[in-house]
Amino acid sequence: MLLDATRTVREFAVEMPNATRVFEKLKIDYCCGGDEPLNNACAKAGLPVEEVFSLLTQAGSMNDESEVLHAQSQPLTRLANYILEKHHVFTRNEVERLTALLEKVCSVHGANHPELLQIQSQFLALRAELEPHMMKEERILFPYIVGLEAAAADNHPAPFAPFGTVANPIAMMMREHDGAGEMLREMRKLSADYKVPADVCISYQTLYHALEAFEQDLHQHIHLENNILFPRAIKLEAAPA
């Protein structure tokens, strides 16, 4: 890929192996804010573009079987199933675990660390958004994308879309992704980048480590949908029969 700083963060994330790991480390938004040119994103993060290019080049040379590297060439059905089986399952399992862990840690440390109660409030709001969001993808959007690909393979007309066009539910999902991204940023801010205080127990440390891992997985989850699955589905639907 041409290292052109005017290209978007999304283009780098989609086309370069391991770029998402670099962006995750540098706190550059590649999923919800991926439409921004890389030079602008670097300026906002206070990072020299040349330094980011160097890290991207190093990451791109690694021999890594990353999910994003293969997502572009996978059938949409396989990609959708991968997102369901890996990211939706992880999200559901972790929201249960983290809800209980937050309750425990807040009960012990909430008085001395009131930011925990704010983090808990943000997380519960995020959970309330994610659960119906994933259900809509599983019951409506992803089955339509699977049917769309099957129809194209058999040279049949696209399946009936009660929502008009696949771009409509995708736009809704992307708006909800933006909301989730904002909640993740707020939790990171409240926790001072998940810095564990000195006066806390192992459960507190476990909570912060788990929240950070949850954030990273959700970023990758949203990236696969926003930047790969959804644009390919829109393109497929618009292709001549």
Side-chain angles (χ1 to χ4, degrees):
M1 178 180 179
L2 177 65
L3 294 182
D4 177 357
T6 64
R7 300 190 75 185
T8 66
V9 173
R10 174 172 300 174
E11 289 175 302
F12 282 93
V14 168
E15 297 179 30
M16 290 192 72
N18 294 312
T20 58
R21 295 185 182 183
V22 173
F23 294 144
E24 198 75 54
K25 181 179 180 181
L26 299 178
K27 308 295 186 296
I28 292 176
D29 184 0
Y30 60 90
C31 55
C32 297
D35 284 333
E36 188 164 40
L38 182 64
N39 52 8
N40 289 0
C42 289
K44 287 183 178 179
L47 299 166
V49 173
E50 295 76 13
E51 180 181 327
V52 176
F53 275 169
S54 176
L55 292 171
L56 287 171
T57 301
Q58 293 172 33
S61 66
M62 294 179 180
N63 182 22
D64 177 52
E65 297 296 314
S66 72
E67 61 182 7
V68 177
L69 183 61
H70 296 283
Q72 301 171 76
S73 60
Q74 293 292 330
L76 294 184
T77 298
R78 188 176 299 174
L79 178 55
N81 286 336
Y82 175 84
I83 292 169
L84 295 176
E85 292 167 6
K86 183 177 190 296
H87 293 292
H88 281 213
V89 169
F90 176 85
T91 299
R92 281 203 170 88
N93 289 341
E94 284 301 284
V95 294
E96 290 290 345
R97 182 170 82 100
L98 284 166
T99 297
L101 191 54
L102 271 162
E103 183 63 32
K104 176 182 177 181
V105 174
C106 285
S107 68
V108 175
H109 296 283
N112 291 333
H113 294 279
E115 71 276 5
L116 276 174
L117 302 177
Q118 294 175 277
I119 292 170
Q120 183 185 42
S121 177
Q122 285 289 324
F123 183 80
L124 293 177
L126 177 60
R127 175 178 182 170
E129 288 285 335
L130 286 175
E131 289 177 333
H133 173 93
M134 291 190 296
M135 188 176 297
K136 285 181 285 189
E137 290 182 338
E138 292 161 4
R139 295 185 179 181
I140 301 169
L141 180 55
F142 285 13
Y144 178 77
I145 292 174
V146 169
L148 189 65
E149 184 171 61
D154 294 334
N155 290 316
H156 290 163
F160 172 71
F163 34 72
T165 170
V166 74
N168 290 330
I170 282 175
M172 180 184 293
M173 294 300 99
M174 291 181 70
R175 285 194 296 272
E176 292 178 2
H177 287 167
D178 288 344
E182 184 57 40
M183 292 179 209
L184 291 175
R185 284 189 289 274
E186 184 62 20
M187 287 192 291
R188 177 168 283 279
K189 179 181 176 182
L190 288 166
S191 64
D193 285 334
Y194 293 110
K195 182 178 179 181
V196 179
D199 62 333
V200 300
C201 66
I202 189 66
S203 292
Y204 201 125
Q205 296 177 44
T206 300
L207 171 67
Y208 269 18
H209 293 158
L211 283 171
E212 191 161 31
F214 183 83
E215 175 195 66
Q216 290 175 1
D217 186 85
L218 194 54
H219 282 164
Q220 191 73 357
H221 176 174
I222 292 172
H223 169 58
L224 287 175
E225 293 181 359
N226 278 13
N227 298 339
I228 301 178
L229 179 67
F230 293 168
R232 287 183 58 194
I234 291 171
K235 184 178 180 180
L236 179 61
E237 187 187 56

